[in-house]
Amino acid sequence: MLLLNTLGLNLQKIKIAGFYIGIVLLAAGCNSKKTTGKESQAIRAVNEKEIGTGKNTVAITGATIIDGNGGEPVYDGCVIVTDGKIVDVGKNGVVKIPEGAQVVDAKGRALLPGLIDSHFHLDGVKDLPALFLQHGVTSLRDPGAWIEAYDGERQSGKPIPRLFLADPHLDMFPPAYPKDAYVVRDADEAVYQVNKMADRGASVIKVYFRLPSGIIREVCNAAHKRGLPVTGHLEVTEAMEAIEAGLDGIEHITSFGLSLQPQIEGEKYRQAVLADNNARKQGRYDVWKKLDVNGQKADSLSKFLVRKGTFVSPTLGAFEYQSPAEGETDTVRLAGFGQMKAFTGKLKKDGVKIVVGSHSMITYAEMGWAYQREMELLVDSGLSPAQVISAATMENARFFRIDDRLGSIEKGKIADLILVKGDPLKDISAFRNIEKVMLNGVWVKGK
Ligand SMILES: [Zn+2]
């Protein structure tokens, strides 16, 4: 009896201890996940399963390896790819080439991670993603189109980049691009859509300029719970206000116009755009021409962006203006665009995370070459070619939240690689000479 009693007491103690351990584990579990409701998910390309995987071993030898991380290049390097993955990287002659490997002599070439485009629009142009892949873009993100808009491209049979899609951007009435927008009327509607988009395979959420910061906050909370970043095209919502609400990225350098103006001027612009979406088209050049892009407002904005770790995709190509060979120069546009470049250069100099977004169909690039044009414009703005290369690869991978698998040439990463003729560290226009492209270990351009 005594024994039983003692035993009973002990059992009781064990039960109590177990209960407390359970509570502690439960609390730890909550803390580590920081999510409630639906599980967050890894960021996936919608066409991930449709992309073939290389089944053989390839050795790329003799190239200058620029790994995307911004370090010193490896001259006369060697990269081994097996089953779609990078399995070794180093100096030629040091790295062991497995027997039976396909050896690709890449002397005089630069080997880089596939380019990542953070701002691509399909715009109904058939085969545009396939063309971008041939020009070195192995991953692209469309920040505002129904996922179904890409069905034709996915079924074309042509190799296309990894597609990271947003589903429509979230806007309010009257939307600037009704076809690519989901119009919300309050925060509840917006949150409901964020979850629907996440369920449908969206890898980012984009907010458009009519959304006020109160709704942006709810959108960001909902998206972050699902593991998705949120990016925004702002115009009438001030950038620091929107970033405080939770934005991870800013599309278009023009999204900072309101932050850099005296508030009275800014309010005039805001009201003009709120009354008519199209007022922004010329209005933004008028605004930018007059801005002090090195003044106090610019400084504090820049510091704020560094502190917050915000990604900025300037999409300069979308705003580029050149004096025409004939006829009159629009001096407002010319000056305004010059200021956009100057501010982009300032942000980079201050340490802001700049990424490359092409906007895909732009005035001063032939079809398919917008990404290359954007790289050139970033160099024009004061970035070094090496900085532009990191912005095009690893920094964008971080923005997409895919940097555990993509964005650099490192052991264990997915083999999305490009071979470029010339020295892109000296001349960024070398990216117009893409000789070979490998997607998931398969040569999709050049054999
Ligand atoms: Zn866009």
Side-chain angles (χ1 to χ4, degrees), residues 207-279:
V207 295
Y208 223 63
F209 63 73
R210 282 186 182 272
L211 258 63
S213 55
I215 297 181
I216 291 176
R217 185 181 308 278
E218 298 302 319
V219 165
C220 291
N221 285 341
H224 291 159
K225 276 180 194 161
R226 301 294 301 269
L228 301 183
V230 184
T231 192
H233 172 166
L234 308 174
E235 201 88 48
V236 294
T237 303
E238 196 275 321
M240 290 191 271
E241 193 183 323
I243 292 164
E244 283 290 8
L247 276 194
D248 303 282
I250 298 288
E251 307 293 320
H252 313 306
I253 196 70
T254 49
S255 287
F256 296 115
L258 208 56
S259 314
L260 299 176
Q261 287 179 84
Q263 206 186 350
I264 296 176
E265 290 293 304
E267 186 55 22
K268 239 194 284 175
Y269 177 74
R270 261 186 103 232
Q271 289 186 25
V273 176
L274 281 169
D276 174 12
N277 286 324
N278 287 321

Side-chain angles (χ1 to χ4, degrees), residues 119-121 143 206 208 233 251-252 315 359:
H119 201 116
F120 178 97
H121 292 295
K206 180 175 174 203
Y208 223 63
H233 172 166
E251 307 293 320
H252 313 306
T315 70
H359 216 273

Side-chain angles (χ1 to χ4, degrees), residues 256-262 265 284-302 335-336 338-344 346-347 350:
F256 296 115
L258 208 56
S259 314
L260 299 176
Q261 287 179 84
E265 290 293 304
R284 56 165 72 117
Y285 291 97
D286 297 329
V287 165
W288 277 80
K289 180 182 181 285
K290 285 183 278 181
L291 293 180
D292 181 359
V293 297
N294 286 300
Q296 209 191 335
K297 273 178 179 282
D299 274 347
S300 58
L301 171 60
S302 187
Q339 296 271 77
M340 292 173 199
K341 283 194 293 183
F343 187 60
T344 300
K346 181 210 165 41
L347 291 182
D350 291 350

Side-chain angles (χ1 to χ4, degrees), residues 114-122 128-129 132-133 135-143 150 161-165 203-204 251 313 315 355-362 368-372 374-375 391-393 395-397 399-400 402:
L115 305 173
I116 302 177
D117 188 348
S118 60
H119 201 116
F120 178 97
H121 292 295
L122 190 54
L128 195 58
F132 266 58
L133 180 63
H135 295 168
V137 175
T138 52
S139 289
L140 65 80
R141 188 157 86 184
D142 188 322
Y150 280 81
R162 299 176 192 279
L163 301 175
F164 296 90
L165 304 181
S203 48
V204 66
E251 307 293 320
S313 181
T315 70
V355 295
V356 184
S358 74
H359 216 273
S360 56
M361 294 290 281
I362 55 173
W369 294 106
Y371 195 93
Q372 276 73 6
E374 183 68 14
M375 291 178 112
T393 53
E395 200 75 286
N396 247 337
F399 188 18
F400 284 38
I402 54 173

